[in-house]
Amino acid sequence: QPSSDDETTPINVRLNQFFKDPVPPAIRDVVDVTTKDATKTDFDLFELLKAPPGNPGIPRPLWLVILGSLPTGLVWYGYYKFAVEEELLEL
């Protein structure tokens, strides 16, 4: 992957790196994109709610997004949005 200072690097990749740099390594390791077994399809509810960004991405149904977002005041939705963007950035 090109360095974030490279002029040919797309702006979305550079912006992602800009916001990723100040995050402490302990947190970055937990939410880093992980490689998962693509054949696994039977995830339980809590496994889906706390799943880090994956490659391939884990489908999260709309009802689950609402279920996780409302009680946390949309904090979980922010994490979900982050996870999806990280998965898409890996493509």
Side-chain angles (χ1 to χ4, degrees):
Q1 184 175 10
S3 72
S4 60
D5 296 332
D6 188 2
E7 290 291 326
T8 60
T9 305
I11 186 71
N12 63 326
V13 175
R14 287 186 284 158
L15 190 60
N16 182 280
Q17 192 61 42
F18 174 79
F19 285 108
K20 193 181 284 187
D21 286 342
V23 176
I27 295 173
R28 202 175 321 139
D29 292 343
V30 171
V31 297
D32 204 15
V33 176
T34 59
T35 303
K36 302 280 186 194
D37 181 12
T39 60
K40 183 174 179 178
T41 58
D42 57 334
F43 296 99
D44 69 357
L45 179 67
F46 292 110
E47 190 176 7
L48 277 174
L49 282 172
K50 63 182 179 120
N55 186 8
I58 300 169
R60 297 164 182 96
L62 179 60
W63 65 266
L64 180 66
V65 174
I66 293 170
L67 181 71
S69 299
L70 290 179
T72 63
L74 297 177
V75 170
W76 188 83
Y77 177 75
Y79 175 73
Y80 162 76
K81 187 170 176 5
F82 159 77
V84 170
E85 288 177 2
E86 287 294 307
E87 291 169 355
L88 291 173
L89 196 59
E90 287 295 312
L91 293 178

